[in-house]
Amino acid sequence: MKTHCWVRASDSDFTGPLPQPRSGHTAVNIGKSMIVFFGGLLDKKFLNDVTVYDIDNDMWFQPEFMDSGSDGNTGPSPRAFHVAVSIDCHMFIFGGRSGANRLSDFWVLDTDIWQWSQLTTFGDLPSPRDFAAASAVGNSKIVMFGGWDEKKWLSDVYVLDTFTLEWMELSVSGTIPPPRCGHSATMIETRLLIYGGRGGGGPIMGDLWALKGLIKEENEPPGWTQLKLPGQAPSPRCGHTVASGGPYLMLFGGHGTGGWLSRYDVYYNDCVVLDRVSVQWKRLHIINEPPAARAYHSMNCVGSRYLLFGGFDGKSTYGDLWWLVPEDDPIAKRSGISSSEVVPERDTTVEEKESQREGDAIAELQKRLQISGLLSTSVHIVDEMEDKELIQQALRVGGKDAVGNMQAVQALRDHWARSAPESITLKEISPLLHDYQRLITRHHIGKVGSNLDELVGLGFAGKGAPFRFYHIKTASQFRLNDIPSLLAEYKELVSSTNIS
């Protein structure tokens, strides 16, 4: 398996409002096009919001839901530590906890029309529970194992037919796993794999089990088998995630105990891979520092990448987003220098002097303009060819006729220079804002030492102070009614720098 690295997601990776910090939420992949995040817990407040990551467009959004009934409820009540399973375009939600109450209601979200429906199921109904784990079986069934019902840890297995809405408690003969909650459950071909969890009496577990007999065509009686695989197995834990990516299962995080004398939980930030080809555990080789240790987060596979969000470490609730990527991924360079890179020696004297000159010029500019901290928000400027968002938008606009990416970027700039404010779409705001900041940095702030008086006197579009939007870090801080002003300033920039 390739060497990987962690890259903290930057504002330029996405457009749209990012989800707020949380733990105990769920995040399911809907095909290869989106990830749907639901619920969770933040500062003792249970949540029931839905935030969607549109993979194709690198965009976050909160859908507007169709009315699902006359009772005024458009979706499930706030909750955390529930189960969520996706089948085709549907996300199914069961149980969880809200306050001190365990839940047993069952919901489905149709992501094609963004409509919630509460489902009335029958058969062997599962008891209310949280910290259970579930997975899809084929394209019509859901299997759920274990959990906590407020009185005891559970080891029951339920199968739901999503066509008939009938629950069936699976009768399993032979040895069964000890009761538990906070474990993971992943369907691999014809077997359900469960790992870890907290069990009866409170011990943290590190065992791996496989359940057969879930596929009718296999004609196998249901039965559990404990798997003891070679390799570097993960330490016992619960509240971890397992994401399936190709021939690997990627386990990350969770928490265990500090030993039988310790009263404190230990939180993890390691990655352990279950290699389905060699059938063994492997430690993932990572070349840089991982994110903070955590549990009850989410981790989803996005192509060759994994997206980590949220979680809890016993004190803090996280809202950060991280990519786990192979070292040859284009964004891996943001993580720092890989172990395979040889860095040539270089003379930094000229660069240091240029940086000092630019810093002095900016300070003088701030003083002359009476601006407190032009760069105080640490706006991060990247080159055009490293701006993924800009390249994607450029290829949409001018990619058909462009010889290369830079020519496509030039075509995009020409397009914006001719555009009316009302024609700018939401997807364009972020790359437009970042290109505006790039042009200011490159063509004005970089030359301000020799042209300070000219710059101070410059007022784009005749509306007062220049660079009104330079301090904005993300498009989410931008107001839509400022689009005309931003576009006017951008056109002046393009014109004054003679790049169109």
Side-chain angles (χ1 to χ4, degrees), residues 83 94 104 106 121-126 142-144 158-161 164-169:
V83 298
F94 173 82
S104 62
F106 190 61
T121 56
F122 65 99
D124 305 322
L125 300 180
I142 295 172
V143 58
M144 181 174 67
Y158 285 90
V159 177
L160 174 75
D161 187 319
T164 66
L165 298 182
E166 181 180 7
W167 284 102
M168 178 185 69
E169 183 172 6

Side-chain angles (χ1 to χ4, degrees), residues 136 242 299 344 433 489:
V242 173
M299 190 164 176
L433 174 65
E489 289 192 15

